[in-house]
Structure formats: structure tokens, C-alpha cells
Amino acid sequence: MANDPSLPSLALSDIMYNMSPSPGTRQSPEEPSTVQEREVSPEPVSAEDIERMRQKVQETVLKFGFNGQFSSMERELMEMVLRLTSSSFIDPSQLIRQGEIISGLTSQRDYLVRQAEEARQRFESEKDGWTRMAEALIAQRHKHGNSGMREQELERQCSTMQSDNRNLRAKVCHTFASQALF
């Protein structure tokens, strides 16, 4: 429809004029504007506003018929409104909520990363402490372990010799006793 060669092409001045709230009356570009133009840009259109625009155009089309009392420019404008409002626009309030949620999740992630890093550092410190303690105990065992083993070995040898001494005394006594009888 917009590419139909039988329709004249539109210039920007053809579609840039103020419209009254009712679809029947229009203000021409030559007439002075009674509506004061806004200098600031409006807020983004919400989903409710988009739906209201679509419904208004659809009601107008149903009421008058698409090919009815409308000029080619009005039909083209209605098609543009329908096409532009059919694409999914993101609601600004949804963007704000998503931004707040993302910000909150980022803060939570940063907190969890810090907690994990602190836990890792605590674990490393404890591990180093246990390693140093184990090394100290091993060194102490080697230091006292040799003398302790040496003492145990000496005690064992001493008790073995005492036992051998008793056995030999008993034999000597037995031998002297047997010789004395002869």
C-alpha cells in the first residue's frame, strides 16, 4: 500500500500538521496553531498507551471501514500507527525494575564473591597453620624420637643383660654346687 505506484509520495510537510481530537476536523498547515508546542520531549509511551492507540485506530477502521471516508494519507497514517504499535516496545517502568533487580543481583554477587574470597583466605591461613604445626611436631618427634628410641633400646639391652646375668649366676651356682659335691 505504501509502495503502490498509483499513490503520490508524501512529503514531510504533508503529514506534519496539528490534528484536533476528533478525526473529522483537521487544521491545515497554513492555519495558526492554537496548541502550544512542547519544547521538552515526552516520556516514552507505556504499554497501556500503545494498546489504547491501537484500539482507537481499530475502532475507527471498524466504524468507518478501511476504504471508507479516509484519504490515502489517513489510511497510510493508520497503517503506520498499527505497524508501529504492533512491535513490542519495552515499558520504561519494566526497564527501571529490571535495572534495580540487576543492580541488586550484582551487589549480592559482589558480596558472595567477597565472602568466598575471605573463606578461601581463612582456609589458606588454617592450612598454613596446620602445615607449620605438623612440621613442628615432626621435627620434635625426630629430635626426641631418636633419644627416646635410644633410651628404649638401652633399657631393652639392659634388661636382656640382667636376665643373662641371672641365668649365668644360676648356672655358675649350679656348677659350683655340683663340683662341691664331688
Side-chain angles (χ1 to χ4, degrees):
M1 293 179 195
N3 297 332
D4 190 2
S6 65
L7 296 175
S9 16
L10 294 174
L12 185 59
S13 61
D14 292 338
I15 59 173
M16 293 297 297
Y17 56 88
N18 293 330
M19 291 186 70
S20 68
S22 66
T25 60
R26 283 190 291 191
Q27 213 177 20
S28 67
E30 293 82 29
E31 292 178 20
S33 175
T34 57
V35 179
Q36 189 177 24
E37 296 200 23
R38 294 168 51 169
E39 294 183 11
V40 294
S41 63
E43 290 294 316
V45 183
S46 69
E48 295 85 25
D49 292 337
I50 292 172
E51 188 58 37
R52 210 171 319 134
M53 284 184 230
R54 283 187 62 76
Q55 285 178 353
K56 193 171 190 177
V57 170
Q58 289 171 344
E59 287 172 5
T60 305
V61 168
L62 288 175
K63 185 175 183 181
F64 297 107
F66 195 73
N67 294 326
Q69 305 168 346
F70 303 113
S71 68
S72 63
M73 184 175 15
E74 289 171 331
R75 277 193 297 273
E76 189 171 353
L77 285 174
M78 285 191 282
E79 287 175 5
M80 283 194 267
V81 168
L82 290 173
R83 181 175 290 158
L84 289 173
T85 56
S86 67
S87 63
S88 60
F89 289 105
I90 298 173
D91 189 17
S93 62
Q94 179 185 5
L95 283 178
I96 292 170
R97 283 192 314 273
Q98 287 174 344
E100 290 170 352
I101 290 171
I102 290 170
S103 175
L105 290 173
T106 302
S107 297
Q108 287 179 355
R109 184 206 62 204
D110 292 343
Y111 173 75
L112 291 174
V113 166
R114 281 193 310 273
Q115 292 290 23
E117 181 63 26
E118 288 174 8
R120 189 190 62 75
Q121 288 174 349
R122 205 172 26 255
F123 172 76
E124 290 293 325
S125 296
E126 288 178 10
K127 181 180 157 191
D128 290 343
W130 283 106
T131 302
R132 284 192 299 274
M133 187 181 295
E135 289 171 354
L137 288 173
I138 290 170
Q140 184 180 18
R141 182 175 174 204
H142 285 303
K143 178 181 172 185
H144 294 293
N146 288 340
S147 65
M149 289 179 62
R150 179 79 175 138
E151 283 179 23
Q152 289 174 353
E153 180 66 25
L154 290 175
E155 285 177 10
R156 188 182 61 77
Q157 287 176 356
C158 182
S159 51
T160 304
M161 287 183 186
Q162 285 174 350
S163 175
D164 287 345
N165 254 352
R166 270 186 242 119
N167 289 338
L168 288 175
R169 274 190 197 144
K171 283 184 185 178
V172 168
C173 287
H174 187 355
T175 304
F176 280 135
S178 348
Q179 283 181 358
L181 289 176
F182 291 121

